[in-house]
Amino acid sequence: MELWLRIDNDPAGTAATTLYRWLARDRQLARNVRLSPTTGEPADGEMTGGSLETINVVLSNSIALASLITSIVAFRKAQKQQRDSSGNPIVVLLERPGRSVAIDDDSTAEDVGELLDAADPAAAGVASDGDAR
């Protein structure tokens, strides 16, 4: 399964960069999750890529999703003191086509998996015409 992680209200990409480094250091994730950063276009006058916009995540199995959610929740708790520019807590969004789920301190892999599957009728066992399989 391919997903994307994004930090809401992080135009400079600093929180996304911190999250990427956090996840990359997690040995549990390294076995079943492939991470790759996606940067924006360089700003005027810059030669290299812009700030980190999203983290592409490829999961090998459902256990990997549980490990990913656990690591994101731990990241949010460790970053509790960090706030975005408006003083709000950092919001981590887990996305796939047609669906975005905010990960909070109480998120579980089961909750997130159900929400992500709800966006994909094929994953939920529903045919494209709406009939159950």
Side-chain angles (χ1 to χ4, degrees), residues 26-34 60-61 64:
D26 188 325
R27 291 182 188 193
Q28 182 78 16
L29 284 179
R31 288 179 241 166
N32 297 307
V33 177
R34 190 178 56 194
S60 62
N61 54 47

Side-chain angles (χ1 to χ4, degrees), residues 81-94:
Q81 301 304 325
Q82 266 192 332
R83 306 287 177 168
D84 68 14
S85 58
S86 64
N88 295 320
I90 294 172
V91 177
V92 179
L93 300 172
L94 184 60

Side-chain angles (χ1 to χ4, degrees), residues 7 10 19-20 31-32 42 58 67 84 91 95 100 111 116 118:
I7 304 289
D10 185 31
L19 174 61
Y20 175 74
R31 288 179 241 166
N32 297 307
V58 178
S67 295
D84 68 14
V91 177
E95 301 175 330
S100 179
D111 296 338
L116 291 174

Side-chain angles (χ1 to χ4, degrees), residues 35-80:
L35 303 169
S36 57
T38 305
T39 58
E41 294 295 317
D44 290 338
E46 291 183 349
M47 295 180 69
T48 60
S51 62
L52 180 63
E53 289 185 351
T54 60
I55 301 167
N56 185 24
V57 179
V58 178
L59 304 168
S60 62
N61 54 47
S62 60
I63 294 170
L65 178 60
S67 295
L68 178 66
I69 300 307
T70 300
S71 192
I72 293 170
V73 169
F75 168 80
R76 289 190 77 246
K77 288 179 180 178
Q79 301 295 315
K80 250 320 187 219

